[in-house]
Amino acid sequence: MVLINLQGIRVEVKDRTLFHIKDLSIHQGDRIGMVGRNGSGKTSLLQVIAKEREPTAGVVIQRASVALLPQLKPQVDQKSGGEISQAVIHETFSQDADVLLADEPTTHLDMENVEKLEQQLKRRQEAMVVVSHDRAFLDALCNQIWELDDEQIRVYSGNYTEYEQQKEAARKHHEKEYEKYIHKKKQLEEAMEQKDQKAQRAVKKPKNLSGSEAKAAKFAKPYFAKKQKKLNQGVKSIQTRIDQLDKVEKIKELPPIKMQVAHEASLNKRTIIRGEKVSGTVGDRLLWQAFDFSVAGGDKVALIGPNGSGKTTFLHMILGGAQGIHISPTVSFGYFSQMLEVLDVNDSILDNVSSTSSQDPTLIRTVLARLGFFRDDVFKEVHVLSGGERVKVAFAKLFVSDANVLILDEPTNYLDIEAVEELGSLLHDYSGTVMLVSHDRRLLEHVATKVFAIRDQQVHFFEGPYREYTQAEPQKDHDPLEDQLLMVDTKVSDVLSRLSLEPSEKLEEEFQRLLQEKNMLKQRLEKRQ
């Protein structure tokens, strides 16, 4: 059953076409993941589907109710980004629409809440279109991928991994077609060169001829001229065949990155950051109990834990050399945060990135190309860039700086999937040290060589890749009652915050009802344990 149909849709921004869609539908049971570069129009398309934005041309036929979960959540005093995201998610879910549109729903959620959101969405019955840079999230939810690229949408069946496999198969097919094209072209060019050489020899006067031979050659000249003409026609015919070949362009592959990291040899595998009896507190609140730790040169450390557990606090303590933390004098930190204060908005991309780097200019341009800034793109001033593009510039500036320890706090927010994948590849190949906070599980699997996990006011260590850590962790059985309790708990927090701003008898009654429901669910869980 068709729930939404897009006919002849075109969306323009100023004088640029974002995308045009001839005919596209959302059916009952569709679970669509939408991917594409920053600025390709993913958010605009969701707004068009929800009828919150008028297309430049075309019509949206809605045969079902629609709810839109926006990417940019409203700021609320005294609430963290994760708390705001959960409140907006709950409010959107409560609409019980037939089609759910979710724009980066995992932003600001910790890994535990991302996984809980996955389970909630799996159980929901409505059709959905999800924009996300979290590849594991798309794998868990989607049965179809929409790729927004080059002003068009291409539809792929399956989840994100299956989409990657189809793209890889297409790439390999393209490579084979290119090889066939080059082979055939070379064959024709060689045949053309041979005919051309024969044509040149056909009328070339032989040397050291006797009188009788010269006289015979004179009478044979018209014959050879005719032969040359025929050979030249053959050359032209082959050239025509070359010109008529279906040209196949070679896939552009950027060269690998090999950077010079300061003091790389002297720091490698040696302890460069050491902590003794380091405890974390915010005011009177204990984040984690005192613990010892060490980081060696070349380590790629994943720092994970729930929202509010103290991950960012821990990074700041390392950057500030807090009490009990000892740092090698050869360490030079590079810190990434979403504030992007490292950028001068009036300078170009290239000037921003080069200003703090002693790397070779060619390497800098290669890093920028890997992140999607090609040729003259690098001369754009930062103030004209989108939020996601600015994040990429800030990361590039940090990556090619003279730092040898990168401290990254949620670097993937607002990035497109392609940029996240390139960021993962760059960090994987980086020979310096990385400490990384991220809820992107695929990124952590690709990069992390050890794990610091903050939970229950303690920091736990795992010496090994992130994937091995997740396999070593005991897996909890899925419990619908716990999910129900989580949802009610979120409702309680939401009503409580509204009560503090606008008290009313109706809200008070709802608060008391939710408290009773919460207590009943807790009792049912306790009885089963």
Side-chain angles (χ1 to χ4, degrees), residues 115-116 118-124 476-489 517-518 520-522 524-525 528-529:
E115 290 170 353
K116 285 180 178 176
E118 264 181 24
Q119 295 302 324
Q120 287 175 308
L121 288 172
K122 279 181 179 178
R123 292 194 302 277
R124 296 184 71 87
K476 294 181 181 178
D477 292 333
H478 171 62
D479 192 335
L481 266 184
E482 287 186 357
D483 290 333
Q484 212 174 333
L485 180 60
L486 174 69
M487 188 173 286
V488 171
D489 213 16
E517 187 178 352
K518 178 179 176 180
M520 180 189 72
L521 288 168
K522 286 177 72 175
R524 286 174 63 186
L525 278 169
R528 292 195 332 197
Q529 290 173 353

Side-chain angles (χ1 to χ4, degrees), residues 51 73 248 270 292 364 461:
K51 292 196 171 181
K73 318 299 190 290
V248 180
R270 298 182 182 179
D292 298 342
I364 293 173
F461 306 102

Side-chain angles (χ1 to χ4, degrees), residues 42-283:
K42 300 185 295 295
T43 294
S44 297
L45 180 53
L46 290 185
Q47 292 169 343
V48 166
I49 294 171
K51 292 196 171 181
E52 292 190 3
R53 173 177 181 156
E54 284 294 321
T56 309
V59 62
V60 178
I61 301 170
Q62 282 189 357
R63 299 187 178 93
S65 56
V66 178
L68 173 61
L69 175 61
Q71 178 179 357
L72 299 176
K73 318 299 190 290
Q75 295 298 312
V76 179
D77 290 340
Q78 298 181 336
K79 277 195 172 185
S80 70
E83 290 170 328
I84 295 167
S85 291
Q86 289 186 55
V88 175
I89 287 167
H90 164 65
E91 183 185 344
T92 307
F93 283 2
S94 67
Q95 296 177 36
D96 287 328
D98 300 308
V99 180
L100 172 66
L101 309 176
D103 196 355
E104 294 289 0
T106 64
T107 302
H108 301 306
L109 295 184
D110 58 42
M111 210 168 296
E112 184 178 352
N113 282 307
V114 168
E115 290 170 353
K116 285 180 178 176
L117 176 61
E118 264 181 24
Q119 295 302 324
Q120 287 175 308
L121 288 172
K122 279 181 179 178
R123 292 194 302 277
R124 296 184 71 87
Q125 299 302 309
E126 66 263 54
M128 60 185 69
V129 181
V130 180
V131 173
S132 179
H133 64 262
D134 188 326
R135 294 153 291 177
F137 192 73
L138 295 177
D139 263 351
L141 291 174
C142 297
N143 56 27
Q144 192 177 132
I145 297 293
W146 287 359
E147 180 190 59
L148 194 50
D149 182 47
D150 195 24
E151 302 178 5
Q152 299 179 45
I153 279 195
R154 295 177 182 84
V155 178
Y156 296 81
S157 60
N159 62 16
Y160 187 80
T161 294
E162 290 166 321
Y163 155 77
E164 282 185 308
Q165 290 168 348
Q166 291 172 64
K167 292 279 284 184
E168 178 62 16
R171 188 186 70 82
K172 287 182 177 178
H173 176 73
H174 186 106
E175 284 180 347
K176 286 183 180 177
E177 290 300 307
Y178 174 75
E179 288 170 4
K180 283 163 62 177
Y181 164 71
I182 291 298
H183 180 68
K184 185 65 176 175
K185 185 181 177 185
K186 187 178 179 182
Q187 278 184 325
L188 290 171
E189 285 173 341
E190 287 174 351
M192 185 171 68
E193 186 178 354
Q194 288 172 3
K195 280 189 180 293
D196 186 52
Q197 288 173 354
K198 284 182 180 179
Q200 297 301 321
R201 290 196 300 267
V203 293
K204 190 173 182 182
K205 185 177 179 181
K207 294 179 180 179
N208 304 319
L209 293 178
S210 66
S212 59
E213 288 173 332
K215 189 176 180 181
K218 182 180 179 182
F219 285 107
K221 191 173 182 182
Y223 164 78
F224 287 112
K226 189 175 180 182
K227 184 177 180 182
Q228 184 193 44
K229 184 178 179 182
K230 190 175 181 180
L231 286 167
N232 282 336
Q233 286 175 342
V235 170
K236 287 180 181 178
S237 175
I238 294 174
Q239 182 62 58
T240 301
R241 288 176 64 189
I242 291 173
D243 294 340
Q244 289 176 345
L245 285 175
D246 290 332
K247 190 174 182 181
V248 180
E249 296 289 349
K250 185 177 182 180
I251 296 175
K252 293 179 181 176
E253 293 185 359
L254 293 166
I257 301 293
K258 180 53 184 171
M259 294 176 55
Q260 296 298 316
V261 176
H263 306 289
E264 178 182 338
S266 62
L267 294 179
N268 192 40
K269 302 300 180 186
R270 298 182 182 179
T271 298
I272 58 173
I273 304 171
R274 180 167 51 86
E276 295 176 328
K277 295 183 172 53
V278 178
S279 61
T281 56
V282 172

Side-chain angles (χ1 to χ4, degrees), residues 273 288 293 301-304 310-322 325 327 333-337 405-411 434-438 452 454:
I273 304 171
W288 66 79
F293 71 94
V301 181
L303 183 59
I304 64 174
K311 300 184 295 294
T312 299
T313 299
F314 182 58
L315 295 183
H316 286 168
M317 289 177 70
I318 289 177
L319 288 166
I325 295 177
I327 298 166
F333 287 117
Y335 175 59
F336 177 93
S337 75
V405 178
L406 304 184
I407 306 287
L408 310 176
D409 195 355
E410 291 290 1
V434 178
M435 298 193 71
L436 170 67
V437 172
S438 178
F452 289 6
I454 305 176

Side-chain angles (χ1 to χ4, degrees), residues 111 295 299-305 311-312 314-315 318 334-336 395 405-413 420 423-424 427-428 433-453 466:
M111 210 168 296
V295 176
D299 280 350
K300 312 283 177 64
V301 181
L303 183 59
I304 64 174
K311 300 184 295 294
T312 299
F314 182 58
L315 295 183
I318 289 177
Y335 175 59
F336 177 93
F395 174 75
V405 178
L406 304 184
I407 306 287
L408 310 176
D409 195 355
E410 291 290 1
T412 64
N413 285 347
V420 173
L423 181 144
L427 290 176
H428 179 271
T433 306
V434 178
M435 298 193 71
L436 170 67
V437 172
S438 178
H439 66 263
D440 191 305
R441 290 156 288 180
R442 290 272 291 269
L443 178 68
L444 296 180
E445 286 175 2
H446 192 47
V447 174
T449 59
K450 67 194 308 183
V451 179
F452 289 6
Y466 177 76

